[in-house]
Amino acid sequence: MNFKQLILTLPVLFMAGCTQVPVLQHKAVFEDFTYVGNDDYYNQHPLQADDEFYNPILPGWYSDPSICADGKGNYFMVTSTFGYYPGVPLFHSTDMLNWKQVGHILTRPEQLPLERSSVSTGGIFAASIFYNKYNDTYYMITTNMGRMMRGQQGNFIVKSKDPLNGEWSDPIWLEDMAGIDPSLFFDEDGKAYVVHCGMTRNPPYPGCNQMIMHEFDVENDKVVVESATVLAEGGAFPEDKPMALEGPHLYKWNGMYYLMCAEGGTELGHSEVIFRSNDLHGKFVAWEKNPILTQRTLGDRQDGVYCTGHADIVQDPQGGWWSVFLGTRRIDGEMENLGRETFMMPVRWSDDGWPYMTQGDDQVPLILKMSGAKRSEQVTFGNFSISDDFTLPKLADYWVSARDAATDKYSLTELPGTLVLSCDTMTLCNNQGSAAYVGRRLQHHQFRATTRMYFQPEAGEWAGMVLLKNENLQYYLAVGAGSIEVQKIGEKDTYEVLASAPLDGQKDFTLCIEGTNKGKTFDFSYSTDGGRTWNMLLAGADADYLATHYSTSGSSSFTGTTVGMYAVKR
């Protein structure tokens, strides 16, 4: 049996022996969800050794990665979540090759106020995680951009003594500290500091930023405002007028302090640069061979990585250094729907003590080795599949909703073993609240997502599967009163019907969305007999409609596409 035949049988296998699920008025009942990745690169380049892994190590939209070690054999990694809920996924590993999501850090409304935040441009920017050995406490620091844009304090910290089993604290808002991308540094003398990106007053050129450091009072969790020091301004080579010095991290190694920052914007000009000083409060000097990571000089490549930057580094158990950073995989050098992903590669050191990941025309590799580690059967990378029968008491960690928990829009207990979505009037085009939507990240260019749904809609009610880029860009495979449609949704919930088929009293639907043609197109199909036979509703829908296109400046999109279940009453 080939891959296509296997995947086509999955819905039948999952449904074998299932009893008929009741149909609820004004609600859609989803009995399962499956997701299968099938990217060509992984099929054509199987891993050969137990210590090998694929880049990206977190495929799909996991941007702005940050990593820390606690010296006890634990490694933790976080990424940004913007306007999605819950916020900041937390990954754990004991060897840095095998990662497992162990939850989210921001899981309560008071931790994650996202009112009026766009899923793709608002909310949580640049999350960073740290361990302070002096008080045995883990810290996550970040910016809530939605609050900041509304004139409220946006930078905050949450803390935990036990990130694997305990909840994180309520937000500690960092008063009187402007700017974005805050980061922490715990020095060897026990003192702590916050470094962040601030806008240069009266900048000599557009996009000129400063890296500003404050002392941080650990006992009282407060920034010492009067201690502000500018560590760097403009970039590694200010005479070249680089834009967007941001995403700072401080490290100490062999008696030297290192300041590592992103530079050049988060698109094709993205890079990582390094400065150092023998005095934390002294002059930081840029390395003459900056940038220490970039792919901007390489042009279009087969299976190439682009937009690399926003890095963090950590030591492994053997004393080597590794970096995590964001990057993108474009289709034919043009577009993608996966978003900015998390890559990992080793850090090298120059003879005179400077860390770097790439130099010149070095390419970010897609297959690497992690010596001393052994790949497990369940990994975060490559082609994989997931299935959910909604029998757990809460949603699995990979599910997200828009802006809040949406627990008033869905239920796992009304019909145990199912996900029930109410046909709510709040749509995914409205950023004022949450819609009846539960989704997950696309992690492959070529994928197949299916769900079995029981639904008997009244006029104006729709339910099914949606591909969500943002409030203005969506594809909806929707069952309504008397028809099933593929809707291309635009601004203000306007939509164009791309394909439609009549329905005659059916209540049981298996829906399927596939990424095809290397991710350039989407196919939409459905079954009314539990997946034994399929009807192609629309083949070859243009994936470019949802895609991110990259330029040498600017930020066209911060998130990738998510796919999931959606119900609405228009």
Side-chain angles (χ1 to χ4, degrees):
M1 182 181 292
N2 62 31
F3 179 87
K4 185 73 172 180
Q5 292 170 326
L6 173 63
I7 299 307
L8 287 172
T9 65
L10 282 176
V12 179
L13 294 174
F14 288 139
M15 292 302 104
C18 289
T19 58
Q20 183 69 25
V21 173
V23 177
L24 302 179
Q25 191 175 23
H26 312 304
K27 297 177 180 180
V29 179
F30 296 88
E31 195 172 61
D32 71 355
F33 179 90
T34 67
Y35 174 93
V36 180
N38 186 32
D39 278 350
D40 291 340
Y41 181 85
Y42 305 129
N43 292 329
Q44 296 166 2
H45 300 85
L47 298 177
Q48 301 298 316
D50 288 344
D51 60 355
E52 288 185 332
F53 67 94
Y54 288 117
N55 254 337
I57 197 162
L58 298 182
W61 160 57
Y62 289 102
S63 54
D64 308 329
S66 175
I67 191 170
C68 78
D70 64 3
K72 307 172 187 178
N74 295 299
Y75 299 86
F76 292 95
M77 185 159 51
V78 297
T79 65
S80 301
T81 41
F82 299 91
Y84 283 94
Y85 191 102
V88 187
L90 179 65
F91 292 86
H92 173 254
S93 178
T94 57
D95 57 13
M96 289 203 297
L97 186 153
N98 299 290
W99 291 89
K100 179 182 179 181
Q101 187 175 354
V102 292
H104 288 80
I105 289 180
L106 305 177
T107 59
R108 305 189 301 275
E110 56 268 26
Q111 293 176 311
L112 191 57
L114 292 173
E115 60 272 16
R116 304 195 303 279
S117 291
S118 166
V119 294
S120 62
T121 58
I124 299 300
F125 279 51
S128 292
I129 190 168
F130 303 88
Y131 174 70
N132 183 1
K133 66 180 181 180
Y134 298 102
N135 63 3
D136 191 29
T137 301
Y138 299 83
Y139 294 77
M140 193 281 294
I141 186 170
T142 188
T143 303
N144 185 322
M145 187 59 71
R147 278 178 55 96
M148 184 168 286
M149 295 300 291
R150 294 192 297 273
Q152 300 170 292
Q153 180 51 256
N155 295 310
F156 69 96
I157 286 172
V158 291
K159 304 187 297 182
S160 176
K161 289 282 189 178
D162 185 6
L164 284 175
N165 302 298
E167 289 191 336
W168 292 69
S169 71
D170 285 344
I172 302 163
W173 299 101
L174 302 180
E175 302 296 337
D176 301 317
M177 194 187 86
I180 60 171
D181 293 6
S183 176
L184 288 168
F185 172 64
F186 300 101
D187 207 348
E188 294 171 346
D189 59 5
K191 290 184 178 180
Y193 302 85
V194 175
V195 59
H196 66 94
C197 170
M199 306 302 138
T200 301
R201 293 185 179 182
N202 302 314
Y205 61 89
C208 179
N209 294 341
Q210 295 177 329
M211 296 298 100
I212 303 171
M213 183 181 72
H214 294 83
E215 293 180 17
F216 181 68
D217 181 349
V218 175
E219 294 297 322
N220 298 296
D221 292 318
K222 289 186 176 181
V223 171
V224 182
V225 177
E226 60 272 17
S227 67
T229 302
V230 176
L231 301 184
E233 183 173 50
F237 305 111
E239 64 274 13
D240 295 336
K241 299 181 179 181
M243 66 173 293
L245 190 69
E246 56 192 354
H249 287 292
L250 275 169
Y251 313 93
K252 190 175 186 180
W253 184 70
N254 278 359
M256 297 290 291
Y257 294 94
Y258 292 85
L259 172 66
M260 192 172 72
C261 308
E263 184 186 284
T266 192
E267 297 207 350
L268 293 181
H270 207 196
S271 68
E272 196 76 12
V273 295
I274 194 82
F275 308 78
R276 76 179 182 188
S277 173
N278 58 12
D279 180 356
L280 183 58
H281 300 278
K283 180 179 176 58
F284 277 77
V285 177
W287 190 29
E288 62 182 12
K289 294 183 180 180
N290 272 312
I292 62 171
L293 168 69
T294 194
Q295 301 287 272
R296 65 190 177 200
T297 63
L298 302 185
D300 293 339
R301 290 147 285 141
Q302 181 71 27
D303 300 316
V305 181
Y306 301 80
C307 306
T308 54
H310 203 107
D312 198 0
I313 61 176
V314 71
Q315 278 189 295
D316 67 18
Q318 290 74 39
W321 289 82
W322 287 80
S323 64
V324 293
F325 53 91
L326 70 80
T328 63
R329 292 177 292 157
R330 299 193 300 169
I331 303 169
D332 294 340
E334 297 177 1
M335 48 73 77
E336 52 79 19
N337 267 299
L338 304 183
R340 302 176 301 165
E341 307 173 287
T342 290
F343 292 76
M344 176 179 280
M345 65 183 296
V347 177
R348 293 174 284 175
W349 291 83
S350 67
D351 292 339
D352 54 351
W354 292 93
Y356 66 96
M357 285 72 87
T358 68
Q359 285 285 278
D361 291 337
D362 290 344
Q363 295 191 48
V364 173
L366 296 184
I367 297 177
L368 299 95
K369 287 180 176 286
M370 181 76 70
S371 297
K374 182 178 180 180
R375 188 175 64 257
S376 68
E377 292 184 3
Q378 299 295 322
V379 293
T380 54
F381 46 79
N383 283 331
F384 55 81
S385 63
I386 65 100
S387 63
D388 198 333
D389 58 7
F390 302 116
T391 56
L392 297 177
K394 65 175 185 177
L395 288 174
D397 289 330
Y398 47 75
W399 292 115
V400 294
S401 54
R403 278 172 291 283
D404 68 36
T407 50
D408 59 333
K409 312 291 175 67
Y410 79 84
S411 174
L412 293 171
T413 59
E414 186 168 0
L415 288 176
T418 71
L419 171 72
V420 177
L421 292 183
S422 300
C423 291
D424 192 80
T425 56
M426 181 67 71
T427 76
L428 283 170
C429 292
N430 191 333
N431 69 356
Q432 300 301 305
S434 66
Y437 171 66
V438 174
R440 73 178 311 279
R441 293 161 175 83
L442 290 188
Q443 296 183 273
H444 301 83
H445 296 300
Q446 297 184 156
F447 67 92
R448 179 179 171 91
T450 62
T451 187
R452 190 169 187 175
M453 177 182 73
Y454 301 87
F455 186 44
Q456 188 173 20
E458 296 185 2
E461 295 178 344
W462 299 90
M465 295 180 72
V466 68
L467 291 165
L468 171 65
K469 180 66 170 181
N470 57 38
E471 285 77 10
N472 300 320
L473 299 171
Q474 303 154 36
Y475 276 126
Y476 192 15
L477 176 56
V479 173
S483 68
I484 181 170
E485 298 180 353
V486 176
Q487 300 171 1
K488 181 180 180 181
I489 299 177
E491 293 185 21
K492 298 180 180 179
D493 209 25
T494 58
Y495 66 91
E496 175 187 358
V497 177
L498 301 182
S500 178
L503 297 173
D504 186 19
Q506 290 93 341
K507 302 176 184 178
D508 179 353
F509 308 90
T510 306
L511 308 177
C512 176
I513 300 178
E514 293 182 90
T516 52
N517 191 22
K518 298 183 179 180
K520 296 179 183 178
T521 54
F522 298 124
D523 292 353
F524 301 86
S525 57
Y526 70 99
S527 170
T528 56
D529 57 11
R532 289 184 291 274
T533 59
W534 287 90
N535 306 291
M536 180 62 70
L537 187 59
L538 177 64
D542 190 3
D544 191 74
Y545 178 63
L546 304 183
T548 297
H549 291 262
Y550 295 93
S551 62
T552 55
S553 63
S555 298
S556 63
S557 180
F558 292 129
T559 62
T561 298
T562 58
V563 60
M565 289 73 68
Y566 176 37
V568 68
K569 180 175 177 61
R570 292 195 182 103

